[in-house]
Amino acid sequence: MIQGGLFDEPSSLAPSPEEDLQRYKTLSELYEATKNCKKCRLGETRKNYVFGEGNEKAKLVLVGEAPGAEEDEQGLPFVGRSGQLLNNILAAVKFQRSEVYICNVIKSRPPNNRNPEPDEIAACAPYLYRQLEIIRPKVILALGRVAANALLNNNQSMQAMRGKPHKWRNIDVIVTYHPAALLRNPNWKRLCWEDVQLMRRIYDEKCAND
Ligand code: URA
């Protein structure tokens, strides 16, 4: 019979997965430590782990839901049709993609683009939280309900969340529609335009003295 060693930590003292991630101080350390993750079933089916892309010192972070087919192929977030629209949304409020950081709640593609399951979100969200702790942006733009619910730790609808600032820890969070939803419902683009203008105003206020 295999017995625990004399100096094994009692399980109540073992670090929680989130505390464990504190030891990774840069995005590249966190990426190296998590890129082969198999904590959930998506680790078996993905082609590429889609960690995130952009400026480690970004003051604006965009958080989407999960990689799609094109993102899974390339290992980069928002490079398909939704990504094209996202680039246009950013340009409309005078951001270049290179000055922001873009990532998703889930780092591996759900098969057939199905919605992520709650246990997949629970497994992957600590990676997102650690990314945000490392980057320490001034503003987070949550793209769609999955991202907003994961950041705000609620189950609210888009209507309830958009149009006003929220907080993740001490950081302002603005919620808007996911670009894929805008491709399906172009009449929501007007609301997204209002949301990203609000995001730009808050960003300018928070960054005025930087
Ligand atoms: N949809 C997302 O939520 N994220 C991506 O990276 C691509 C599409």
Side-chain angles (χ1 to χ4, degrees), residues 50 64-68 71 76-79 82 104 178:
V50 183
E65 178 177 321
E71 290 77 19
L76 294 169
F78 282 102
V79 287
S82 294
N104 288 298
H178 191 287

Side-chain angles (χ1 to χ4, degrees), residues 89-110:
I89 293 168
L90 282 172
V93 279
K94 311 270 183 284
F95 283 105
Q96 287 173 15
R97 201 173 152 123
S98 56
E99 62 186 309
V100 307
Y101 189 83
I102 305 180
C103 60
N104 288 298
V105 177
I106 300 278
K107 312 300 190 204
S108 307
R109 182 190 181 209

Side-chain angles (χ1 to χ4, degrees), residues 5 9 12 17 23 34 45 66 71 82 99 104 126 153 184 210:
E9 279 178 323
S12 61
R23 77 176 99 152
T34 60
T45 52
E71 290 77 19
S82 294
E99 62 186 309
N104 288 298
N153 197 23
R184 290 192 300 271
D210 289 358

Side-chain angles (χ1 to χ4, degrees), residues 99-171:
E99 62 186 309
V100 307
Y101 189 83
I102 305 180
C103 60
N104 288 298
V105 177
I106 300 278
K107 312 300 190 204
S108 307
R109 182 190 181 209
N112 307 314
N113 296 342
R114 67 158 169 74
N115 291 336
E117 300 286 348
D119 66 320
E120 294 161 357
I121 294 174
C124 222
Y127 300 164
L128 168 66
Y129 303 149
R130 187 68 192 133
Q131 283 175 302
L132 294 171
E133 286 171 354
I134 291 169
I135 300 170
R136 295 194 293 124
K138 302 280 189 193
V139 183
I140 299 169
L141 183 66
L143 300 166
R145 185 172 175 181
V146 168
N149 290 159
L151 287 165
L152 304 180
N153 197 23
N154 67 22
N155 195 25
Q156 291 179 11
S157 67
M158 285 298 297
Q159 290 96 309
M161 292 183 286
R162 59 161 298 278
K164 56 186 178 221
H166 304 261
K167 291 278 185 196
W168 179 80
R169 313 225 177 135
N170 240 352
I171 302 172

